[in-house]
Amino acid sequence: MTQSRPQDKSLFDSVQRIVIKVGSALLVDPQSGVRTAWLHSLVQDAASLIGAGKQVLIVSSGAIALGRTLLNMNAGPLKLDESQAAASVGQIALAGAWSDAFRTHDLVTGQILLTLHDTEGSSGRRKYLNARDTINRLLAFGAIPVINENDTLATSEIRYGDNDRLAARVATMIGADLLILLSDIDGLYTAPPSQDADAKHLPRVDTITETIEAMAGDAATGLSRGGMVTKIEAAKLATRSGTAMIIASGKRDHPVSALNEDARHTWFEPEPGSKAARKTWIAGQLETLGTLVIDDGAKRALFAGNSLLPAGVVSVSGQFQRGDMIQICDTSGDMVASGLVAYDALEAKAIIGLNTKALAQALGYEGRSAMVHRDNMALAQRHDRKDC
């Protein structure tokens, strides 16, 4: 087992869950494939964070770039089917490279292939919840999720820059505290430094304004087409949901450790009150597709900050599917909360009143312990409570 490099934890003291996004140009050499030495230095940084009690997720570009190298494809733009073929080869090799690197620290990885649609709670709630549950379960087991865009199933032109936005959506989906975008540039400048010698580096951005957005330029490499534009879009997605974001250079070894050694980067501050935005959205939904009636013990548990378990549910009504909005009421007919339900209506009716150990027998599979998880629930305020 390789000895992890010591971390000065000052930058990471206030964060617990960290997403690290790696660009193609950093990870893949067009001639030789994976930059193994660099990858192992980054993994050593991640292992050090994990050893300090942090949770780390990786969003990795590079499947297409690596696949085209392994398939000896010609340089230049690829057709859609060529990109998909390259991705199918590259994803296997990429997953193996990450797994091998983390194994030197006795850490296990799990590969997750996502599309942007899978991370959009509004348009694909079931996929969204499934993806989030899988990631959270991997983290609970101490594994490192390695996430890549599912390029083999893309139906539109594949752009590597989408992984910046994908990383931001993953970060918000799992409630990450910090997103680190490792790139070929060390942060945001007042103008593209390759075009303007007088461009000034911005160490911190408190609010993303139109002026900030106007500073973004095009990508400078052939392997990454997203450039600063997609990084600013990612920052907007992340900061609006309460996740801080860093843009930093990954050109040196140990790029994450370097952040605690005064390596230049740009910090994007989360918007004030953004952590509560999801709860506010849930509370503001007027359309509910079903009702769960709960007993007094469950009601007390909810107001104590706990999730709603099937054991506390006494009746279920309505036609809903997993991920739909439902209301939670007490036996007196007063609304207690609203939230996104974790079961379809028929399944919910089959498990009301059951303790967690009895769920598998009733459902025929190992069910989720919560009927409505506390992260997907907004309690009704006293002055807003209404009859169910």
Side-chain angles (χ1 to χ4, degrees), residues 152-319:
T152 59
L153 298 181
T155 55
S156 60
E157 287 303 316
I158 297 171
R159 293 177 297 137
Y160 302 149
D162 279 350
N163 271 358
D164 289 327
R165 288 184 287 264
L166 179 64
R169 284 178 167 151
V170 167
T172 61
M173 178 173 67
I174 52 91
D177 303 299
L178 177 63
L179 167 62
I180 302 173
L181 298 185
L182 295 178
S183 182
D184 52 7
I185 190 168
D186 56 6
L188 177 65
Y189 286 75
T190 54
S194 61
Q195 302 171 19
D196 186 348
D198 295 324
K200 293 181 173 56
H201 179 267
L202 300 179
R204 182 183 178 94
V205 174
D206 290 315
T207 305
I208 300 174
T209 62
E210 291 183 1
T211 301
I212 294 295
E213 292 186 72
M215 295 175 185
D218 295 329
T221 71
L223 288 180
S224 176
R225 297 185 225 164
M228 191 58 66
V229 173
T230 63
K231 289 172 177 53
I232 296 301
E233 287 296 319
K236 288 165 64 177
L237 288 168
T239 57
R240 287 173 181 172
S241 298
T243 300
M245 195 185 94
I246 287 174
I247 298 174
S249 173
K251 288 185 174 181
R252 59 168 288 172
D253 287 348
H254 298 285
V256 175
S257 292
L259 295 173
N260 275 322
E261 299 168 1
D262 296 324
R264 180 176 283 184
H265 63 276
T266 299
W267 174 281
F268 291 83
E269 184 71 9
E271 292 185 7
S274 51
K275 279 291 188 183
R278 178 175 172 80
K279 298 281 189 177
T280 301
W281 174 79
I282 291 174
Q285 299 304 297
L286 298 178
E287 181 183 8
T288 57
L289 298 180
T291 300
L292 307 180
V293 177
I294 62 174
D295 59 29
D296 289 342
K299 181 178 177 179
R300 288 192 296 271
L302 296 193
F303 283 106
N306 297 309
S307 299
L308 175 60
L309 304 182
V313 179
V314 297
S315 69
V316 175
S317 60
Q319 297 297 321

Side-chain angles (χ1 to χ4, degrees), residues 79-142:
K79 297 178 181 178
L80 179 59
D81 58 349
E82 292 174 333
S83 293
Q84 292 171 325
S88 69
V89 172
Q91 283 168 355
I92 294 174
L94 192 64
W98 283 107
S99 178
D100 290 345
F102 273 107
R103 192 179 297 119
T104 65
H105 299 273
D106 294 335
L107 294 170
V108 175
T109 58
Q111 184 188 43
I112 302 175
L113 299 178
L114 296 176
T115 65
L116 293 175
H117 180 74
D118 295 333
T119 61
E120 293 174 343
S122 58
S123 60
R125 287 191 297 265
R126 293 171 71 85
K127 290 183 177 181
Y128 173 92
L129 292 172
N130 285 336
R132 193 183 64 181
D133 287 348
T134 299
I135 291 171
N136 283 329
R137 183 57 60 186
L138 283 171
L139 292 171
F141 279 119

Side-chain angles (χ1 to χ4, degrees), residues 24 27-35 60-76 78-79 81-95 97 148 151-152 158 160 223:
S24 295
L27 188 58
V28 179
D29 181 279
Q31 280 72 49
S32 60
V34 174
R35 303 179 193 270
S60 176
S61 298
I64 297 176
L66 181 56
R68 70 183 296 166
T69 299
L70 295 173
L71 291 172
N72 296 314
M73 290 182 169
N74 294 328
L78 299 177
K79 297 178 181 178
D81 58 349
E82 292 174 333
S83 293
Q84 292 171 325
S88 69
V89 172
Q91 283 168 355
I92 294 174
L94 192 64
N148 193 8
D151 295 329
T152 59
I158 297 171
Y160 302 149
L223 288 180

